[in-house]
Amino acid sequence: MRYGICILPDMPWRDARPLWQRAEEMGFHHAWTYDHLVWGGLPDAQWFSCTPTLAAAASVTERIKLGTYVISPNFRHPVSTSREVQTLVDISDGRLLLGLGAGGTPDDGLLGQPPLAPKQKVDRFQEFTLLLDRTLRDDHVDADGDYYSARDMRLVGGDVRARVPLILAGNGPRSVRFAARTGDAWLTTGPSTDALDDWFAAVASNHALASDTAAAAGRTIDTYLNLASAPASALESVSRFDDLVGRAADIGFTDVIVHWPRDDEPYRGDIAVLDALAERGFDSP
């Protein structure tokens, strides 16, 4: 099992910097931040951009992998995004984890774009992902899609895609199958439910779908579970953390992610639990 932590970009860098450094010191394998213009969970909060934050985090860390949680088509184009990805891969010396997802509200309307039906959002996301993948592999890319076009997009200096995994988020069957066939990993938050057993049953069912789909395509993929979306806080106590991680491991997840505890909701928690886990070692219940 590998362990990750997500640090919300809701604070100035002078306050965020020590958290990223501490995440590496604690022994986390990867650290993430959200990619939104406005996040619905904290719509009135000060908010900072994902890719510059990760560039800054790369400059003050050495080993920990750094993830986008998650880039979406809501306000991005795959051509311009590919240049940001190329730059982050270079700055981080190959430590970038490229999380991608279909996106949600309110980002989906901030540019004044017309609303899309859920199926259209998935269509757009898949087109976004496939074109982004091409621009990270090939030089002189041209494309004409339903949502995106490209004209002679250049990639000079080698295959960027070989240095960065695509971690594709999704909870519905179509998105899970797409991740298993296309990505290097699948990331899930699970369903919205108040029952922990129901939540784990749903993520177990999707995990089986991802594994079977990948196997049918002759592939294996990593699988990431966001424990912060469970209907119980993984950082409520050390024993609760061990229980949730153990259940994720039994299902077959390769990676779990928690969120840095905040003083208020969302993700309210006690930093002392995180410190205790780090002191003990995440893999040593």
Side-chain angles (χ1 to χ4, degrees):
M1 181 68 73
R2 292 181 295 260
Y3 299 87
I5 191 160
C6 185
I7 301 169
L8 296 186
D10 64 335
M11 64 192 83
W13 180 244
R14 64 179 176 274
D15 299 322
R17 173 177 176 163
L19 273 58
W20 291 89
Q21 293 172 312
R22 181 70 176 126
E24 181 168 77
E25 293 166 359
M26 284 177 165
F28 281 102
H29 297 90
H30 34 79
W32 308 72
T33 200
Y34 284 8
D35 186 43
H36 293 285
L37 295 179
V38 175
W39 181 48
L42 289 171
D44 299 316
Q46 189 177 37
W47 200 257
F48 295 91
S49 182
C50 172
T51 55
T53 296
L54 292 181
S59 72
V60 298
T61 58
E62 297 179 355
R63 299 175 305 280
I64 194 168
K65 293 186 179 295
L66 305 168
T68 60
Y69 195 94
V70 291
I71 283 176
S72 85
N74 274 333
F75 55 90
R76 291 189 177 276
H77 192 288
V79 168
S80 55
T81 300
S82 70
R83 192 61 78 215
E84 295 189 40
V85 171
Q86 178 190 28
T87 305
L88 280 175
V89 170
D90 178 64
I91 292 172
S92 68
D93 194 21
R95 289 187 284 138
L96 180 65
L97 301 175
L98 186 55
L100 304 174
T105 301
D107 281 340
D108 57 357
L110 291 178
L111 302 185
Q113 62 267 50
L116 297 179
K119 179 184 180 301
Q120 292 174 304
K121 286 188 175 182
V122 176
D123 291 342
R124 182 182 64 172
F125 169 62
Q126 293 190 3
E127 184 178 311
F128 178 97
T129 300
L130 293 173
L131 181 52
L132 178 60
D133 182 76
R134 284 186 61 199
T135 59
L136 294 173
R137 294 180 188 271
D138 302 329
D139 197 9
H140 300 288
V141 171
D142 291 302
D144 286 292
D146 294 330
Y147 297 94
Y148 301 104
S149 299
R151 292 291 179 271
D152 198 27
M153 176 56 180
R154 301 300 315 275
L155 177 65
V156 179
D159 184 356
V160 174
R161 185 62 179 84
R163 301 187 68 200
V164 59
L166 296 188
I167 301 171
L168 305 184
N171 296 318
R174 183 183 171 201
S175 294
V176 174
R177 289 192 293 265
F178 178 72
R181 291 192 303 262
T182 309
D184 301 292
W186 165 62
L187 166 65
T188 184
T189 60
S192 296
T193 177
D194 293 329
L196 187 60
D197 288 345
D198 292 345
W199 188 78
F200 270 110
V203 298
S205 177
N206 272 344
H207 191 280
L209 176 61
S211 298
D212 291 347
T213 303
R219 317 178 68 232
T220 59
I221 60 169
D222 290 334
T223 52
Y224 289 68
L225 180 61
N226 177 14
L227 290 178
S229 297
S233 172
L235 297 181
E236 170 188 308
S237 65
V238 171
S239 61
R240 172 67 82 177
F241 178 87
D242 290 340
D243 174 55
L244 298 189
V245 170
R247 295 179 71 165
D250 289 342
I251 292 169
F253 282 96
T254 60
D255 296 76
V256 292
I257 301 171
V258 296
H259 280 52
W260 195 278
R262 302 179 68 256
D263 293 335
D264 303 302
E265 296 293 349
Y267 312 126
R268 184 173 183 173
D270 187 352
I271 190 64
V273 174
L274 199 61
D275 287 334
L277 288 165
E279 183 176 357
R280 182 202 70 179
F282 295 105
D283 275 322
S284 303

